[in-house]
Amino acid sequence: MDILLTVILLLNHLLTGTSEQSTAANTVVKAVTHTKTEGQTTTPSSTAGASGDKTDQPSNVFVKKDPQPDAPKVKGIYVTAHSAGGSRMSKLLDLLDRTELNSMVIDVKDDNGYITYPTDNQELLKLGTSQKYIKDIKATMALLEQHKVYPIARVVVFKDTVLARKHPELSYRKSDGTVWENGKGDSFVNPYRREVWDYNVAIAKEAAKLGFKEIQFDYVRFPEGFEKKEASLKFDKTDEKRTDVIADFVQYAREQLEPLGVRVSVDIFGYAASVPAAEGIGQDFVKISKQVNVISPMVYPSHYSTGWFKVKEPDMDPYATIKGAMEDTHKKLQPLGSYTPAIRPWIQDFTASWLGKGHYIKYGKVQVDAQLKALKDTNIEEYLLWNANNNYTGDANF
């Protein structure tokens, strides 16, 4: 009877809702009507196989569960591997001990692509390269537990200069056969290659075994402006849309990690919540959010240009910028209903002096507090602070 009522209500929504809502409703109808046993549903999955072809598999996207229902409301900071393995760690732990901050996002695979601690895991070393930034990862994890820190492992996925240079066939090559680099000298690996998926998931699995409670995937996308350079590059691909490839990876990662009891989160451009899908880089805010326990839009005021949210200089008005970004995030995720992930944005605790005089202000307690107030006013209870050098405002109203 419950199923029949649900289907009737959803059919009504199909006829009267918006296009985006109707699409979501249609998918739910399919999920509900394919009930196998009481309380469980299965839906066709579009996870790409090793060749990139579609294979039908059971998916639990519409019975999404939180593997850690008792997890705290996360209020965290970003910690580089250098900080985690060095003398700065004691200062950062002291910050958490004396404030309401309770979590650290620590680089396990960094922006260059290095695994940040020594490992003898041969599955990882087939493609990966480890460093000794965190010399004793088990001792570090014990220290975090001692200080009651909720540990999150940051895994940078498709931005991977180390792997691209080691295995050019997994990257994008120019006409002369050399690996493509962006203006900063960074290279990316190819999301169409299943080997890249499995490698990053293997890193995440080891992080889970080490004691990390959540895996946060970053750079889950194609390079910026990829659509303008794609035709000039050589790389393996299928007919699948970039947005589907990226969403498929996230789904695959979640399904692999969920049995280990860890949450999966994804960092995503903040503006992706305010515009239609970012087809160029393959980020569709809603498709990705469907597949994760936590979504972390990067809503740094400095990253919005003049006019966003009717603000002349977004960096100089952190309250209005964050409030507008969060309102757009709520609207974007509304069609997901009860399947909406926890929203945990990255906010700014750095000064964006590169914007130039008249376009930025120095960030400190006032500016951090303004962002925190904007989150509270838009019913956001979790957040992460970003400072690349790990120098945080210690007296903010966390």
Side-chain angles (χ1 to χ4, degrees):
M1 183 64 183
D2 289 340
I3 293 174
L4 179 60
L5 179 60
T6 300
V7 172
I8 292 171
L9 290 172
L10 288 169
L11 287 173
N12 178 66
H13 199 55
L14 284 169
L15 298 174
T16 61
T18 65
S19 175
E20 191 173 45
Q21 291 169 333
S22 295
T23 300
N26 182 58
T27 310
V28 176
V29 169
K30 291 179 181 178
V32 171
T33 55
H34 279 76
T35 297
K36 299 297 184 184
T37 60
E38 184 177 344
Q40 295 181 328
T41 60
T42 58
T43 58
S45 167
S46 58
T47 302
S51 65
D53 295 332
K54 298 278 191 174
T55 57
D56 287 342
Q57 304 175 13
S59 168
N60 61 352
V61 67
F62 286 108
V63 288
K64 183 164 54 174
K65 59 185 179 182
D66 189 341
Q68 289 184 38
D70 298 327
K73 298 293 184 184
V74 169
K75 300 177 179 180
I77 59 173
Y78 164 63
V79 178
T80 67
H82 290 282
S83 291
S87 59
R88 183 169 292 182
M89 188 60 160
S90 60
K91 180 180 178 182
L92 296 174
L93 287 169
D94 177 68
L95 173 64
L96 269 65
D97 286 342
R98 63 183 174 81
T99 68
E100 293 298 313
L101 296 171
N102 61 6
S103 179
M104 290 184 175
V105 179
I106 300 174
D107 281 336
V108 166
K109 177 174 175 244
D110 68 14
D111 289 65
N112 293 312
Y114 289 116
I115 299 168
T116 62
Y117 59 90
T119 179
D120 57 4
N121 186 327
Q122 294 305 306
E123 182 182 5
L124 303 188
L125 295 176
K126 286 178 183 177
L127 294 181
T129 303
S130 70
Q131 296 290 346
K132 296 181 179 180
Y133 301 137
I134 304 174
K135 296 181 179 63
D136 189 338
I137 186 66
K138 291 183 179 179
T140 298
M141 297 305 297
L143 189 62
L144 294 174
E145 185 175 6
Q146 178 185 337
H147 286 264
K148 299 180 180 179
V149 175
Y150 185 80
I152 301 174
R154 178 174 179 253
V155 176
V156 177
V157 183
F158 298 119
K159 178 186 175 186
D160 193 332
T161 304
V162 172
L163 180 56
R165 291 176 179 174
K166 191 174 180 180
H167 288 278
E169 74 278 8
L170 298 178
S171 183
Y172 309 104
R173 286 94 61 200
K174 297 187 290 187
S175 57
D176 62 3
T178 60
V179 174
W180 171 84
E181 297 179 351
N182 65 14
K184 298 179 180 179
D186 302 317
S187 295
F188 282 63
V189 288
N190 184 2
Y192 283 99
R193 292 294 295 258
R194 185 61 173 260
E195 303 96 314
V196 176
W197 290 21
D198 288 333
Y199 166 55
N200 282 279
V201 169
I203 292 173
K205 286 181 176 179
E206 179 157 283
K209 291 177 182 178
L210 287 168
F212 284 95
K213 303 296 186 184
E214 179 176 316
I215 308 300
Q216 183 186 93
F217 292 112
D218 199 0
Y219 284 88
V220 187
R221 61 178 177 82
F222 289 79
E224 291 180 74
F226 185 75
E227 68 279 10
K228 299 176 182 178
K229 58 181 72 75
E230 178 181 15
S232 66
L233 299 174
K234 297 179 180 178
F235 64 99
D236 297 320
K237 63 175 295 187
T238 68
D239 292 334
E240 191 173 21
K241 292 171 58 177
R242 289 188 288 272
T243 51
D244 289 335
V245 171
I246 295 300
D248 283 351
F249 164 74
V250 176
Q251 177 179 340
Y252 174 73
R254 176 183 54 75
E255 290 173 344
Q256 290 289 307
L257 293 168
E258 194 170 70
L260 301 181
V262 292
R263 281 174 154 184
V264 170
S265 59
V266 164
D267 296 336
I268 192 167
F269 277 131
Y271 74 78
S274 303
V275 299
E279 301 284 352
I281 60 172
Q283 284 193 338
D284 184 306
F285 201 96
V286 174
K287 285 182 179 179
I288 291 174
S289 294
K290 277 184 179 180
Q291 301 297 341
V292 296
N293 305 112
V294 181
I295 193 73
S296 288
M298 299 174 285
V299 292
Y300 316 119
S302 60
H303 284 34
Y304 291 91
S305 55
T306 299
W308 274 93
F309 313 117
K310 300 179 181 179
V311 177
K312 183 177 180 181
E313 298 293 346
D315 188 73
M316 300 174 72
D317 195 340
Y319 176 85
T321 304
I322 296 295
K323 186 172 185 290
M326 289 299 95
E327 288 173 345
D328 281 0
T329 298
H330 283 305
K331 291 176 184 176
K332 179 69 81 170
L333 296 180
Q334 188 176 8
L336 293 183
S338 61
Y339 306 106
T340 302
I343 300 170
R344 186 197 300 150
W346 282 100
I347 62 173
Q348 180 171 328
D349 196 3
F350 58 86
T351 297
S353 55
W354 60 84
L355 295 175
K357 187 177 180 180
H359 301 288
Y360 79 96
I361 54 176
K362 182 176 176 59
Y363 269 56
K365 174 177 168 53
V366 172
Q367 291 71 33
V368 173
D369 283 351
Q371 295 175 86
L372 295 174
K373 186 177 187 305
L375 296 180
K376 183 177 180 181
D377 290 349
T378 52
N379 299 313
I380 300 295
E381 299 180 288
E382 303 189 38
Y383 55 83
L384 299 167
L385 297 169
W386 180 273
N387 181 292
N389 296 317
N390 301 164
N391 292 318
Y392 294 101
T393 302
D395 58 347
N397 293 321
F398 299 121

